[in-house]
Amino acid sequence: MSMLPADLARTLAAVVDEGTLEAAARRLHVTPSAVSQRIRQLEQRVGQVLLVRSKPARVTPAGSLIVRLARQTALLEQDTLTALGGAVGAEERISIPIAVNADSLSTWFLGGLAPLSRDLPVVFDLHRDDQDFTAELLESGTVMAAVTSRAEPVAGCRVRPLGVMVYRAVATPDYVARFLAPAPEKDPDADALVAAPLVDFDRKDDLQSRWLRDRGVDPARPPRHYVPASHDFAQAVSLGLGWGMLPDLQAREALEEGALVPIGGMSIRVPLYWQQWNLRSETLDAVADAIAARAAVALSPR
């Protein structure tokens, strides 16, 4: 097989980033038919289907390898231009796709990225997912790096520990008095927990279920709300819709003010790790260092 033309690989990556051939065409300043033709040329060259033309478009396993190559090449080109002292225009900033869990995104993570956007010729494309699933986006080549609960390196990646997010079961005093116990300091029993509404982030969220199982309660029994946004999840708990596991970073102020109270049981410690492509890139390493420094301040030690 001959070498892959860089423009064809970049076109495939643009389709994945933008979701449709039309949006990729606007980004690349060509027609949609030109994008489609480039994808066909690339598929003919490698002899495999690379793109599923759904909405949004998605790559096949073979296509993910091409996308990863395109991203790596663009990153190394940017590092080289920066090292040569070349000026980088606004449209030439490299996009760094990163997967991050919702609670990190809403609490500590953005504080690590903000200085980088001023100092490096980059923009960030953040993909939000549960910390147990962000590593899958690395494996597919969708992102270059991820905040994940997975300690074992993804193939082709390196890993460094960040710290621990500590979650505690909390609720409003009124909710506790109504559903769990006459007084907040009384530990709720299993019968009370079965009837007490709880809040889940989404159907991947198992923190509340883990807490219930530790208390000897079948997690399938209590009624539950689904609130799939970190800030809104915390607000739902603060408004008394149900109890929920909130990270200390998010609940500390409300607990100190008495707007929320702990309802007992175990705290859940979720170790977080930074995984990134095993590619020697000054830009990507600078991102990793900034995130690790921010995590060292915000997260609990391992």
Side-chain angles (χ1 to χ4, degrees):
M1 183 187 299
S2 58
M3 294 184 64
L4 295 172
D7 62 327
L8 301 187
R10 282 196 294 266
T11 299
L12 180 62
V15 174
V16 173
D17 289 342
E18 301 299 329
T20 65
L21 272 65
E22 293 76 15
R26 289 192 293 270
R27 170 173 155 183
L28 298 171
H29 306 292
V30 298
T31 64
S33 62
V35 171
S36 181
Q37 185 177 11
R38 289 181 187 181
I39 300 300
R40 283 197 300 270
Q41 289 175 352
L42 188 58
E43 290 177 331
Q44 290 169 359
R45 184 175 289 266
V46 301
Q48 297 186 56
V49 174
L50 302 175
L51 186 72
V52 178
R53 288 165 171 78
S54 55
K55 288 191 177 182
R58 55 185 176 84
V59 288
T60 64
S64 69
L65 298 177
I66 306 296
V67 170
R68 180 169 178 149
L69 173 63
R71 297 198 198 283
Q72 290 178 339
T73 302
L75 185 62
L76 292 176
E77 286 178 351
Q78 187 73 285
D79 283 349
T80 301
L81 288 173
T82 301
L84 291 173
V88 179
E91 294 185 356
E92 297 171 325
R93 287 174 174 256
I94 187 71
S95 176
I96 306 289
I98 302 173
V100 58
N101 61 306
D103 288 335
S104 291
L105 185 59
S106 68
T107 53
W108 65 272
F109 185 79
L110 290 176
L113 293 187
L116 294 170
S117 66
R118 296 190 296 265
D119 300 336
L120 296 176
V122 297
V123 291
F124 297 105
D125 181 7
L126 301 183
H127 297 248
R128 189 190 66 193
D129 206 338
D130 186 90
Q131 64 269 1
D132 294 335
F133 295 89
T134 49
E136 296 177 4
L137 297 175
L138 269 176
E139 293 174 321
S140 69
T142 303
V143 299
M144 297 179 184
V147 175
T148 174
S149 59
R150 180 168 166 178
E152 178 185 356
V154 172
C157 295
R158 47 196 165 102
V159 60
R160 65 198 290 183
L162 294 175
V164 176
M165 290 200 79
V166 180
Y167 292 79
R168 302 182 196 280
V170 299
T172 65
D174 288 345
Y175 175 93
V176 171
R178 180 180 177 188
F179 288 103
L180 299 180
E185 64 272 10
K186 182 177 179 181
D187 212 18
D189 59 26
D191 289 339
L193 290 170
V194 165
L198 62 88
V199 184
D200 267 346
F201 183 86
D202 58 20
R203 285 159 179 81
K204 294 179 180 179
D205 180 12
D206 71 340
L207 291 178
Q208 286 70 225
S209 294
R210 287 168 60 184
W211 188 89
L212 286 169
R213 280 193 291 268
D214 183 70
R215 305 301 304 275
V217 178
D218 180 358
R221 297 186 65 188
R224 61 190 64 211
H225 307 280
Y226 292 97
V227 185
S230 183
H231 172 77
D232 296 335
F233 177 96
Q235 187 175 27
V237 174
S238 297
L239 291 173
L241 267 71
W243 68 268
M245 304 294 296
L246 290 185
D248 284 352
L249 287 171
Q250 206 169 32
R252 184 176 296 118
E253 184 176 344
L255 287 169
E256 291 174 352
E257 294 173 350
L260 292 174
V261 294
I263 62 172
M266 68 172 183
S267 62
I268 296 179
R269 296 173 60 84
V270 179
L272 296 178
Y273 302 86
W274 174 262
Q275 295 215 32
Q276 69 181 65
W277 289 348
N278 194 15
L279 179 72
R280 288 300 171 186
S281 162
E282 292 185 6
T283 299
L284 194 54
D285 287 346
V287 174
D289 290 342
I291 295 302
R294 176 63 179 163
V297 174
L299 300 180
S300 298
R302 296 178 66 239

